Amino acid sequence: MVHAFIMVKTAAGKSEGLLASIRGLEMVTDAHIVAGNYDIITEVDAEQVYDVLKVVSSNIQSLEGVTDTKTYIAMD
């Protein structure tokens, strides 16, 4: 099992609307609006690293209002 954290930057005023969309994605286990360099932190559990990359590139980055993402794979 692969556990990952996806940091998401959004366009101004889009975080709240995107939060529900992100939480509804398959393999997303949790998501929160945060203060800092990124606007939303998303947690993903997947079978393989490839599955995490698919969630990011095909699902999260394609949402209108997402401007940038950064993916961190948990090592513990």
Side-chain angles (χ1 to χ4, degrees), residues 6 8-9 11 14 16 20-21 23 25 31 37 50 60-61 66 72-73 75-76:
I6 316 302
V8 181
K9 278 189 184 179
K14 297 289 186 175
E16 286 188 31
S21 297
R23 283 181 172 164
L25 295 173
N37 291 331
Y50 171 79
I60 295 175
Q61 290 177 345
V66 171
Y72 296 93
I73 304 294
M75 301 301 288
D76 61 351

Side-chain angles (χ1 to χ4, degrees), residues 5-11 15 32-42 60-61 66-72:
F5 298 90
I6 316 302
M7 310 303 163
V8 181
K9 278 189 184 179
T10 67
S15 295
H32 300 278
I33 293 175
V34 295
N37 291 331
Y38 286 85
D39 302 301
I40 299 173
I41 294 178
T42 303
I60 295 175
Q61 290 177 345
V66 171
T67 61
D68 189 31
T69 62
K70 188 168 288 274
T71 302
Y72 296 93

Side-chain angles (χ1 to χ4, degrees), residues 16-32:
E16 286 188 31
L18 284 167
L19 183 63
S21 297
I22 290 171
R23 283 181 172 164
L25 295 173
E26 185 178 357
M27 292 185 266
V28 170
T29 58
D30 213 351
H32 300 278

